[in-house]
Amino acid sequence: MNIRLALSPLALAIGGALTAMTTMSNVMAAEDVAVDENLQVIGHQYEGYAEHMPQSGTKTDVEWLDVPQAVSVVTKTEMQDRGAVRLVDALDGVAGVNNTLGEGSRDQFVIRGFDALNDMYRDGMRDDGTLQSYRSLANIERVEVVKGPAGALYGRGSAGGIINLVTKRANGDNFTHVNGSVGSNNLFVGQVDSSMALSDKVSGRINVESRQSDSYVDHVDSNDFFIAPTIRVLPADGHTIDLDVEYAHQELVPYRGVPSKNGKPVDVSESTFYGGTNDYQESDSIRVGVNYDWLLNSEWAWTNRAAYNHIELEQKGTRQGTVKGNEVSQTVNNFGYDPRTTTTLQSELVWETDSNQMMIGADYNQINIDLTLASDKTLPSKDIYNPVAGPTPDPGFKPFRDNTTTTTGVYIQDVYTFGDLSVIGNVRYDSMELEQQKAGSAKENLDDDKVSYRGGLVYRLNNDMSVYASLARSWQLPYSGIYINPKLAEFFHTDLKEIGAKAYLLDNALMLNAAVFQIDQEQPETNIDGDVVNKIEARHQGIELEARGQFTKQWDISVGYSYLDAENKETGQKPNDVSDHLFSLWSSYQLDDNWRLGGGVKYVGDRYAGNDEAVALGDYTTVDLMAAYTTGRHKVQANAYNVLNEKYILGATNGTSGTNQIGYGAPAEFMLSYGYQF
């Protein structure tokens, strides 16, 4: 059901509109509403694109202007306007962030040129439960992105930054909102968001989503179910307890893209499928969490969190190998989690006075992976221009290894203010232990203790504008700690230097952020005795410009641009799937009480597949449009994606294999949604 549109006149109109959008924006427009005797607002409301108190940059309520690091926020309203269903849809407009192929089966983002697959957080805690899947937005209130190494707060990882999903909470409101969407490729999405005050002390909320779709790629489809109930209890003044459960079931066919020849992706239709018609991925993930906030008095607050993730997964995937002539070799690689579990505990105590805020924290994280793995390397080659799809052998799922990664950290953060100058310091100590047991082999261990830090200065030019400078260091586990390689027995480290400026304009309606940064990463290579024999050094430096919020009460805007010079310092070559230029503009305008129109453009600059610039992926530009009509409790919205039908490369799988696993992006598609608020 792909649509292909001839839109040359429309393209000119869009160009004019997008030019105007750079001088106007944001909406706080309330549409037709009905008010009952309890003053409860019924109907659809837009809350704007500016989030004034993102907490991911410090884990506390330090004002955004006083955080010495770039922090971007995608609000619920922006996600709704974009028609975002999955996380990959929501982050298109964040400067310095781009999505990649993710092996055609999961979310995978690049932040400032560094892979952020293992740098996902949920309500400030590491989120590994849906690591190998596409995350739902059904219970997500907003998405916060901290740019640059953030290990001084969050521990291991975060070379380019972290992505924190802030979930919807029960807060005593009474409403039920249902939404149904249909679209291209037999897309259907059904959602329910229901909240209720059960008593003065207890309230509940539940989000449910069912999603099924075919794909623009032949034989590729998906079927998802997600449910997330949450309960808030207020046992006494100053005490808040949130209990959360999330369950996700996902079935999909992995899309491994197309091979390459002579340094370019094979030029075939976007619908071309090289995999096996019996390929699949099926996963079941459950997460249970509890959050306890205790406001001891006006100066002291104590937060304790705990979460447990359990995921079972199986994937049978047919992959392209090497190209010879006009044929590509293939293998079948099966893997599974049987299961993969994550346990996280966290405690943070905050002391705040007029001029000082101090946080002392500790956390514990353990990931256990029972990995099953099997492969079949005897497949016949396929014609790269006319692959014939059919079933491929299924080698099953054999016990392969058991990995346990345990990290324990303690950290302190202090923010001290001298008039217009604020000084922030973070120090974190981590003890990291890795244990690996391969089937039929001796047990292997890798452990170390590391110290991460961040130091920053922020100067307030006035109440609405600040400039900042910061230095930071984070540590990364080789392969993110999911397994041990004796030739990578030393941890990586990443150093950040950043200066920037932030401002609120138009009575705090518009947020502006500019940053200049340099990130250096060192990756030691060792021999089997653990001695360092070589070091890979990378430098990523660039600028980021971003604006989010409103210019008028009718016009919202989200615009970001980043330039990134990322290279291996020895070879001068770009890393895999990293663009030099990223630009995104999205805006919406409230015409009257009923009509809302929006649109956006995204540009991704030149990239390469492989770490030796083996395959040029080129650049691309996509244009999206939106129109919504609301009246009372009803809302109808239409979204059109890639309306100019640009043929482009979405991204490539990491590593050498990525040169022949390159994914085309979707052609023109649409989605029509209807929502009703009870």
Side-chain angles (χ1 to χ4, degrees), residues 446 448 450 475 478 486-493 522-537:
L446 176 63
D448 209 338
K450 297 296 184 183
W475 292 90
K487 294 186 178 180
L488 290 175
E490 285 287 334
F491 292 1
F492 306 163
H493 72 261
E522 184 178 281
Q523 302 179 8
E525 297 178 341
T526 64
N527 57 27
I528 58 174
D529 296 322
D531 301 320
V532 176
V533 295
N534 188 34
K535 293 180 181 179
I536 297 175
E537 296 180 309

Side-chain angles (χ1 to χ4, degrees), residues 308-591:
Y308 175 77
N309 285 277
H310 181 282
I311 179 171
E312 296 181 358
L313 179 144
E314 288 186 352
Q315 184 193 100
K316 174 195 172 293
T318 304
R319 312 182 185 190
Q320 295 82 253
T322 58
V323 173
K324 293 183 179 180
N326 288 335
E327 292 191 336
V328 60
S329 64
Q330 290 195 310
T331 61
V332 178
N333 294 74
N334 285 16
F335 79 93
Y337 300 144
D338 190 28
R340 175 177 180 142
T341 63
T342 304
T343 302
T344 306
L345 304 173
Q346 186 181 94
S347 182
E348 294 172 342
L349 182 65
V350 177
W351 173 48
E352 186 166 9
T353 63
D354 290 339
S355 60
N356 189 69
Q357 185 195 80
M358 178 179 291
M359 178 181 67
I360 301 173
D363 60 27
Y364 168 87
N365 178 260
Q366 183 177 87
I367 301 173
N368 184 271
I369 306 173
D370 290 332
L371 185 72
T372 59
L373 185 70
S375 62
D376 191 317
K377 302 183 182 299
T378 61
L379 301 188
S381 297
K382 281 188 177 179
D383 188 316
I384 60 174
Y385 297 107
N386 187 29
V388 178
T392 54
D394 188 341
F397 298 88
K398 302 175 183 178
F400 181 64
R401 68 168 184 260
D402 185 350
N403 287 76
T404 301
T405 300
T406 304
T407 59
T408 303
V410 292
Y411 46 98
I412 185 170
Q413 172 180 272
D414 193 68
V415 183
Y416 197 86
T417 302
F418 308 84
D420 295 326
L421 180 67
S422 295
V423 180
I424 184 170
N426 299 74
V427 178
R428 177 182 175 110
Y429 167 82
D430 278 295
S431 174
M432 295 173 271
E433 300 179 359
L434 286 72
E435 184 178 279
Q436 177 169 282
Q437 178 71 65
K438 288 184 178 179
S441 300
K443 185 174 292 186
E444 300 172 275
N445 296 89
L446 176 63
D447 60 80
D448 209 338
D449 301 331
K450 297 296 184 183
V451 175
S452 305
Y453 62 82
R454 177 178 66 174
L457 297 174
V458 180
Y459 183 74
R460 285 287 191 107
L461 300 175
N462 53 48
N463 287 336
D464 300 319
M465 185 177 297
S466 66
V467 293
Y468 69 86
S470 63
L471 301 172
R473 167 168 286 192
S474 291
W475 292 90
Q476 293 80 41
L477 303 180
Y479 302 105
S480 301
I482 61 174
Y483 66 91
I484 297 174
N485 181 345
K487 294 186 178 180
L488 290 175
E490 285 287 334
F491 292 1
F492 306 163
H493 72 261
T494 306
D495 294 319
L496 169 71
K497 299 175 182 176
E498 180 172 328
I499 58 173
K502 299 180 182 181
Y504 285 119
L505 299 181
L506 306 176
D507 292 329
N508 294 342
L510 184 66
M511 304 169 70
L512 303 178
N513 191 181
V516 180
F517 62 88
Q518 177 179 297
I519 303 177
D520 290 302
Q521 185 179 71
E522 184 178 281
Q523 302 179 8
E525 297 178 341
T526 64
N527 57 27
I528 58 174
D529 296 322
D531 301 320
V532 176
V533 295
N534 188 34
K535 293 180 181 179
I536 297 175
E537 296 180 309
R539 170 166 290 178
H540 295 197
Q541 53 191 350
I543 61 173
E544 290 171 354
L545 306 171
E546 196 167 59
R548 292 177 179 275
Q550 65 184 102
F551 280 116
T552 73
K553 291 185 178 180
Q554 289 77 36
W555 210 325
D556 286 283
I557 190 170
S558 168
V559 59
Y561 168 75
S562 63
Y563 168 75
L564 180 65
D565 177 17
E567 65 177 18
N568 180 307
K569 292 175 68 174
E570 181 179 353
T571 66
Q573 295 176 328
K574 289 184 179 181
N576 179 77
D577 207 1
V578 172
S579 172
D580 48 1
H581 297 278
L582 290 173
F583 173 78
S584 176
L585 169 64
W586 176 268
S587 191
S588 59
Y589 188 79
Q590 192 77 31
L591 291 177

Side-chain angles (χ1 to χ4, degrees), residues 63-303:
E63 289 191 40
W64 176 72
L65 288 175
D66 295 326
V67 178
Q69 212 161 334
V71 181
S72 301
V73 184
V74 183
T75 65
K76 177 176 64 177
T77 297
E78 183 179 348
M79 291 188 284
Q80 290 173 344
D81 284 349
R82 289 178 176 270
V85 177
R86 290 175 170 175
L87 181 59
V88 68
D89 306 320
L91 294 179
D92 268 351
V94 179
V97 179
N98 196 31
N99 58 294
T100 184
L101 182 60
E103 296 186 341
S105 61
R106 64 176 181 237
D107 294 320
Q108 190 160 355
F109 301 95
V110 173
I111 306 178
R112 290 185 173 178
F114 291 97
D115 179 30
L117 174 63
N118 294 277
D119 296 321
M120 302 294 303
Y121 291 78
R122 186 171 297 258
D123 296 324
M125 302 179 70
R126 189 175 294 276
D127 181 35
D128 290 304
T130 47
L131 178 72
Q132 188 61 33
S133 307
Y134 292 107
R135 290 172 172 86
S136 170
L137 293 175
N139 71 328
I140 302 303
E141 185 72 25
R142 64 182 184 273
V143 183
E144 300 184 356
V145 183
V146 181
K147 317 287 186 59
L153 273 180
Y154 293 93
R156 59 184 176 83
S158 68
I162 66 106
I163 299 170
N164 185 34
L165 310 179
V166 180
T167 60
K168 299 174 182 177
R169 296 291 191 183
N171 57 12
D173 291 338
N174 291 285
F175 65 83
T176 296
H177 182 253
V178 297
N179 192 83
S181 303
V182 295
S184 300
N185 305 306
N186 299 314
L187 170 70
F188 169 78
V189 183
Q191 297 172 321
V192 177
D193 181 1
S194 184
S195 175
M196 179 179 294
L198 303 175
S199 70
D200 292 341
K201 300 291 186 180
V202 181
S203 56
R205 188 170 184 174
I206 187 169
N207 281 270
V208 182
E209 179 182 69
S210 177
R211 183 185 191 278
Q212 61 185 37
S213 176
D214 294 332
S215 169
Y216 61 94
V217 181
D218 293 341
H219 308 289
V220 173
D221 56 22
S222 63
N223 193 332
D224 301 32
F225 176 75
F226 177 84
I227 184 169
T230 179
I231 294 176
R232 170 165 288 182
V233 181
L234 306 174
D237 289 345
H239 298 261
T240 303
I241 301 173
D242 290 297
L243 303 171
D244 308 308
V245 178
E246 294 182 5
Y247 170 74
H249 174 79
Q250 188 171 102
E251 300 174 11
L252 59 81
V253 176
Y255 169 54
R256 290 284 179 168
V258 307
S260 65
K261 184 177 181 181
N262 299 327
K264 295 181 179 180
V266 174
D267 187 9
V268 293
S269 168
E270 298 102 316
S271 64
T272 306
F273 181 61
Y274 289 79
T277 54
N278 57 341
D279 287 352
Y280 71 93
Q281 176 174 294
E282 183 172 340
S283 64
D284 288 278
S285 172
I286 187 166
R287 180 183 188 272
V288 180
V290 59
N291 188 97
Y292 172 43
D293 290 319
W294 182 9
L295 184 63
L296 285 78
N297 53 46
S298 60
E299 293 186 351
W300 291 87
W302 191 14
T303 299

